Amino acid sequence: MAAEKIRMRNTGLQVPDQPVIPFIMGDGIGPDIWRASVTVFDAAVQKAYHGKRKILWKEVLAGEKAFNQTGEWLPRATLDAFKEYLVSVKGPLTTPVGGGIRSLNVALRQELDLFACVRPVRWYHGAPSPLKYPDRVNMVIFRENTEDIYAGIEYMFDTPEAKKFLHFLTDELGVKKIRFPETSSLGVKPVSKEGSERLIRSAIQYTITHQLPSVTLVHKGNIMKFTEGAFRTWGYALAKNEFGDKVYVWPDWEATKREKGEEAANNELKLAKAQNRIVIQDAIADNFLQQILLNPQDYSVVATLNLNGDYISDALAACVGGIGIAPGANINYNTGHAVFEATHGTAPRFANTDSMNPSSLILSGVMMLEYIRWKEAAHLIVKGLSTTIMRKTMTIDFYQQTEGARLVRCSEFGNEIVKNMG
């Protein structure tokens, strides 16, 4: 079998038996967690398909390793490889201090238009958690990835650009609400109808495919009415217009309650659930951050804006063991481009110690295998990892929080997962 590229067709991804998949090892602890992770990936593929399928890994450079070898933090060759091969995986990257790229991760997302940051969050039995019932946490966050304040449109106060912008706001638009205009840095928060719709559409399609019960639009539209409020409005309209009788939108419940009473509205909702229609609901962001602690079982798929998604993702990760076990993917469902990544930082103090938890990268690899529809291999990794944690075989982050645990190194943790695949 010859190596081939993953391609995007009208029918979706076309994945050969020996796809070439680029990877960035990452900075700091990146090499340690990559070595443990790739051992797990290759073992799962071999066990699932007995040599009929195999990933051909292609290393590309970014971050400190790229800068040391090429003088560039994000070489053009790396971006070209990510574009050409569609699916890739990466470890954590250092963001250069000072001038240049604000964030290598943000640069990749914007260059490839990876509009959906997808973060599944679930608890594995035995993992430390501050919650009384962590098993109730099982959500998938769809975070809009290219707009909001992460667009990077901002100006430092007392610069010509800030003064020009301030003049436009105050003199041309009549803005009077800037409390200290002469010392205010200014930023712009773009939220588009098109960007919001493609994110929410992907979240609903994911919910249908995985037979999940609900999508919650999380926003701060009570304050930011024309950006985050519009996100909510556009989301409900898209759900009704594009998904029809596959969904039940919460404004319909509210309308029925006004016209016929709460009992009739609840009966309508019960019927919709009995028909396996997806409930599309919304929540104010600050209240939602409370609800994920009090009633996490009420939420399955979450669609939200960029900044909200950043907060929510890390808050939920803390509920199930921390950022070290939080996987992530950045996906353009239209082009097929997807980058699967560890969601934590580089932790340079622990570089080359073989001590950190590789679970974030390993579970991101699970997402990658599910994305290319190699679900058997993905299932084996989840089985191996959950069994390893349940048996209290843990790296230092979990070990310090778990009574009776057995401490292992990063590489040993990967080997334990392979053993526990069954």
Side-chain angles (χ1 to χ4, degrees), residues 170-369:
T170 57
D171 296 351
E172 299 293 326
L173 296 182
V175 173
K176 306 296 184 185
K177 296 181 180 179
I178 302 175
R179 182 61 57 89
F180 304 107
E182 300 304 321
T183 58
S184 290
S185 294
L186 301 169
V188 179
K189 177 189 176 75
V191 176
S192 71
K193 184 173 186 286
E194 183 178 19
S196 299
E197 285 183 339
R198 65 180 183 173
L199 183 279
I200 295 165
R201 181 183 296 113
S202 298
I204 296 174
Q205 289 171 337
Y206 180 97
T207 308
I208 292 171
T209 300
H210 292 81
Q211 299 181 324
L212 297 171
S214 69
V215 176
T216 304
L217 309 174
V218 177
H219 60 91
K220 192 62 178 170
N222 56 331
I223 304 299
M224 292 170 275
K225 299 182 185 299
F226 303 134
T227 52
E228 304 215 3
F231 178 86
R232 171 190 182 274
T233 300
W234 294 328
Y236 278 133
L238 176 136
K240 291 197 76 169
N241 293 338
E242 296 190 12
F243 294 93
D245 59 4
K246 293 181 180 179
V247 301
Y248 179 83
V249 299
W250 198 250
D252 286 353
W253 183 92
E254 293 172 333
T256 302
K257 179 184 176 183
R258 286 194 303 270
E259 295 170 7
K260 301 178 181 179
E262 187 169 350
E263 183 178 355
N266 287 336
N267 288 337
E268 186 177 273
L269 178 60
K270 288 178 183 178
L271 177 61
K273 290 180 177 179
Q275 295 169 337
N276 293 320
R277 294 163 68 186
I278 294 166
V279 176
I280 312 294
Q281 58 194 7
D282 74 280
I284 302 296
D286 46 347
N287 179 257
F288 182 75
L289 286 167
Q290 178 178 236
Q291 292 305 314
I292 62 176
L293 300 177
L294 300 176
N295 299 295
Q297 71 279 357
D298 292 343
Y299 306 96
S300 54
V301 176
V302 175
T304 191
L305 299 99
N306 210 334
L307 181 61
N308 294 335
D310 202 354
Y311 296 152
I312 290 166
S313 297
D314 282 9
L316 278 170
C319 294
V320 297
I323 201 79
I325 199 169
N330 300 286
I331 302 173
N332 185 319
Y333 287 96
N334 300 326
T335 66
H337 287 99
V339 179
F340 298 85
E341 63 178 356
T343 60
H344 52 71
T346 59
R349 184 159 63 99
F350 300 102
N352 303 311
T353 62
D354 191 28
S355 61
M356 294 292 100
N357 191 341
S359 295
S360 176
L361 189 56
I362 288 172
L363 289 171
S364 297
V366 169
M367 294 180 70
M368 180 193 71
L369 291 167

Side-chain angles (χ1 to χ4, degrees), residues 352-404:
N352 303 311
T353 62
D354 191 28
S355 61
M356 294 292 100
N357 191 341
S359 295
S360 176
L361 189 56
I362 288 172
L363 289 171
S364 297
V366 169
M367 294 180 70
M368 180 193 71
L369 291 167
E370 291 174 341
Y371 183 70
I372 66 173
R373 298 188 298 276
W374 290 14
K375 295 182 179 180
E376 298 84 0
H379 175 74
L380 285 174
I381 296 175
V382 171
K383 179 181 180 183
L385 184 139
S386 59
T387 300
T388 301
I389 293 174
M390 183 178 64
R391 292 177 177 174
K392 297 186 178 182
T393 302
M394 298 172 169
T395 50
I396 187 68
D397 56 331
F398 281 13
Y399 171 80
Q400 291 178 330
Q401 303 177 68
T402 307
E403 185 176 350

